[in-house]
Amino acid sequence: MTQGTIPPDYDERVYAGWLGKCIGVRFGAPLEGWTYDEIRRNLGAVEYYLNEAPGKLFKPDDDTSLPMILIRALEDSGVGWDVSPQDIAEAWLNYLGDQHGTLWWGGYGVSTEHTAYLNLASGIPAPRSGSIAQNGAALAEQIGGQIFSDIWGLVAPNDPARAATLAARASSVSHDGDGILGGRFVAALVSAAFAERNPLALIETGLAHIPPESEYARVVRSVLDFYHAHPDDWHACMRHLIEDFGYDRYPGEVHIIPNAGVVVMALAYGEGDFSRTIQIANMAGWDTDCNVGNVGAIIGVAVGLNGIEWRWREPMNDLLVVASVIGTRNILTIPQCADLFARLGRALAGQGSEPRPRYHWRYPGATANFQAEGERGRVIEIRQTTAAANEGALQASVRKLNKKGELRLFTRTYYRPSELNGNYYGAEFTPLIFPGQTVSAEVLAQAGAPEGLQAGLFVRDAHTGQMHQSPVQPLAPDQWQSLSWQIPRLEGACLSQAGVVVRNLGANWEIGAFHLRSLDWSGAPDYTIDFAREQHEGSTLSQWTRLRGYWRLENGNLHGSGPGLCELYTGDITWRDYTLEVTITPLIGAHHCANVRVQGAQRSYAAGLAPDGTLALYRKAGGVYEQVASAPFAWRHGERYTLRVAARGDGLTVEAEGAGVRAALDWTDPAPYASGQIGLSTWHGSHTAYADLAVRPVKASE
């Protein structure tokens, strides 16, 4: 295949690679930090997932969370192959919480990524932020440059040189030396795996993209030489690694070189078998989630979906939970990730991509985190199929759906941190769907289904457990039915499920199936948040993600305070035109604001009570607010004020009233942020109380 060409099965292979990465991280996580000898002595052979907590979701992991942030640099910068280390650094600063979530925040000079973040936040640009000159070799050559780099191979198929270059730029934000070489090596292998299945050939490709005199190349060559001399004994090879390249020979917490040896060893001795490769990498110990994730991505691309046993896929259910300040990007499906990577890869190759619904089943075996439940009937199996649609659909096999029974096929649209089997990396969630938005789906009942079937759409409120459902319509057998429903305005709701409901008003349905081909939603929200219904969840509260500050619920109000720019976000980054209304009580300090069109920590608008008795509107770019409009407004501490901020097209309108005073202002942004979340913000030592928050469609007059 010609270098740099997009293969005909590109999307599916991207899905297989990212699925392999996620499987590897989940498989390796319970053994992170264990040594080879500890694993052999206590566990023996490790052939499947360990420590699976019943009813709990697999926790976020930095190996998957940070790549989902880094890849956004391609979207945000819009410069394609020319994306720079500083573009990558902007993604760090925009999507990372301030020293919480996503990464190991082990301290300056201890954690490589924490050090790099603080360097960036203090104004040290990339790549100096991760350089040996700035941080020293020990810190710069830890493992992070390797573990976050699979994605660059996924977006640069059959182009190892370009994949390695992208990985080097991204790795340089936090790493240097061998730390960058690990990124180059892994990205090159993932890229080459789109055309080459032989692991030894892949390793040679990776070696071609790093200096032959480097320590990284030395460990790779040493493992290869050992493999050729002892091809049937990976345990002996591991002993070789421990003796000649062990942790005791390199400084820092988790040096890249020993773990690079494990990656190469697993690839060589795994001999192209997915299960065997990830098992060897896991039983080797050291940084298991990282190493198993890397080899899972490489071999996943190489063997494709047919090479990944279903037993690895089934517990995943295609769900990926990550951590960032954008809550609607913290609940993902693996197909959604694959769609994003493939779209960006095609864009880099100068190709367009057809839009896809939020949930679809075009990837073989994909389940997209869907579940089923029933009343007076049950779903015995859900699986992907092409039987009813060439593009793929989700099939729900039905047994004994009696008259007046109903079945629901749905996805979770909100989780609480308590539902995770651990939350070391501090995931925070906002709902994926909101009242006021329009939901759509395509449903089909299998031929032979009884007359009298009806189908509709529904959402469920996490606070009350109440299900809100659309009017149903007839579902004729063997005919695709398009459903659409605008969720009504709801007060104080938090929507945690969305899906389709099939109701039987005809004869008993003994056995059969119905299919779901797509599910999506869009449009402006129309709802309120009742802080009396919300609850504390870690360092934030339900429905919100935190950038910085101390946020707490007191007497039915939300209070925020702290140094610097203290901000809290909710809503969807894709929202465009809407109005935010909230009651603000300034208690201490001079800055009491609300935010619209929040695109992360670096880009948003803020409006509210400002110094010197003013109402002000600010535009944030590069993490710095600039005041763009103001009006006199003689506000006082302890008084309640209603603040309204309307975003429509390139214009913003702000109104405030209370305690006998009123003010308004308008501003047109010549370079507007077209969409974004909502937020609350209290700055520079201020203390603000918030209540009565509502988000509505923008009025024609605003």
Side-chain angles (χ1 to χ4, degrees), residues 199-445:
L200 299 181
L202 290 173
I203 294 167
E204 292 293 343
T205 297
L207 280 168
H209 295 281
I210 61 174
E213 72 279 4
S214 64
E215 183 71 357
Y216 200 100
R218 188 172 80 87
V219 69
V220 174
R221 285 291 182 200
S222 181
V223 171
L224 284 178
D225 291 345
F226 197 97
Y227 169 77
H228 289 303
H230 310 278
D232 300 319
D233 192 351
W234 77 265
H235 295 281
C237 186
M238 187 64 206
R239 288 289 180 198
H240 163 65
L241 277 176
I242 293 169
E243 293 170 5
D244 290 0
F245 298 94
Y247 271 27
D248 60 317
R249 295 179 174 268
Y250 300 94
E253 297 291 321
V254 187
H255 201 277
I256 199 170
I257 295 300
N259 292 287
V262 169
V263 168
V264 175
M265 178 187 71
L267 290 171
Y269 285 89
E271 298 181 332
D273 181 271
F274 180 86
S275 295
R276 183 64 175 158
T277 301
I278 65 173
Q279 287 164 347
I280 291 172
N282 207 20
M283 289 185 287
W286 290 335
D287 202 349
T288 48
D289 58 332
C290 302
N291 299 335
V292 188
N294 279 145
V295 300
I298 296 163
I299 296 299
V301 172
V303 303
L305 292 174
N306 289 335
I308 303 175
E309 295 176 64
W310 182 248
R311 66 190 181 104
W312 297 110
R313 297 182 64 179
E314 186 174 21
M316 303 291 296
N317 197 28
D318 275 336
L319 175 64
L320 177 64
V321 175
V322 301
S324 75
V325 296
I326 306 297
T328 50
R329 289 180 174 175
N330 290 346
I331 303 170
L332 298 167
T333 70
I334 296 173
Q336 287 168 348
C337 299
D339 286 349
L340 172 64
F341 300 152
R343 175 170 59 80
L344 293 172
R346 293 184 188 279
L348 288 173
Q351 299 181 10
S353 299
E354 64 176 273
R356 289 179 171 177
R358 190 182 303 262
Y359 298 97
H360 65 83
W361 291 271
R362 301 184 187 186
Y363 298 114
T367 55
N369 192 37
F370 267 65
Q371 305 169 48
E373 63 183 21
E375 298 169 9
R376 298 173 62 88
R378 63 190 181 102
V379 172
I380 57 175
E381 180 189 40
I382 56 174
R383 63 180 180 89
Q384 187 267 355
T385 181
T386 56
N390 291 332
E391 293 181 337
L394 188 67
Q395 174 177 300
S397 298
V398 176
R399 179 168 292 174
K400 295 187 181 301
L401 181 59
N402 297 328
K403 188 174 182 178
K404 297 185 179 180
E406 67 178 42
L407 298 171
R408 292 178 289 276
L409 197 59
F410 63 93
T411 188
R412 291 286 303 275
T413 55
Y414 180 70
Y415 292 102
R416 300 189 186 279
S418 58
E419 297 181 73
L420 303 171
N421 67 348
N423 198 19
Y424 176 82
Y425 289 104
E428 301 167 350
F429 303 113
T430 62
L432 303 181
I433 188 169
F434 296 85
Q437 295 190 296
T438 297
V439 191
S440 60
E442 297 175 285
V443 189
L444 176 144

Side-chain angles (χ1 to χ4, degrees), residues 14-35:
V14 168
Y15 173 57
W18 189 244
L19 177 65
K21 170 82 167 184
C22 296
I23 288 169
V25 171
R26 181 169 181 164
F27 183 38
L31 295 177
E32 184 178 13
W34 288 47
T35 66

Side-chain angles (χ1 to χ4, degrees), residues 4 18 20 60 105 119 124 155 306 317 371 417 503 526 563 569 571:
W18 189 244
W105 302 96
N119 285 342
I124 298 174
V155 300
N306 289 335
N317 197 28
Q371 305 169 48
R503 181 178 297 152
D526 191 354
Y569 311 134

Side-chain angles (χ1 to χ4, degrees), residues 139-197:
L139 205 65
E141 295 187 324
Q142 299 301 299
I143 196 173
Q146 179 167 287
I147 67 178
F148 307 129
S149 292
D150 325 75
I151 53 172
W152 307 112
L154 295 177
V155 300
N158 299 310
D159 201 341
R162 275 181 156 167
T165 297
L166 290 175
R169 293 172 184 168
S171 298
S172 72
V173 175
S174 50
H175 292 74
D176 201 353
D178 286 313
I180 290 178
L181 299 186
R184 293 183 61 88
F185 183 81
V186 165
L189 264 67
V190 172
S191 174
F194 283 94
E196 176 62 69
R197 289 191 56 166

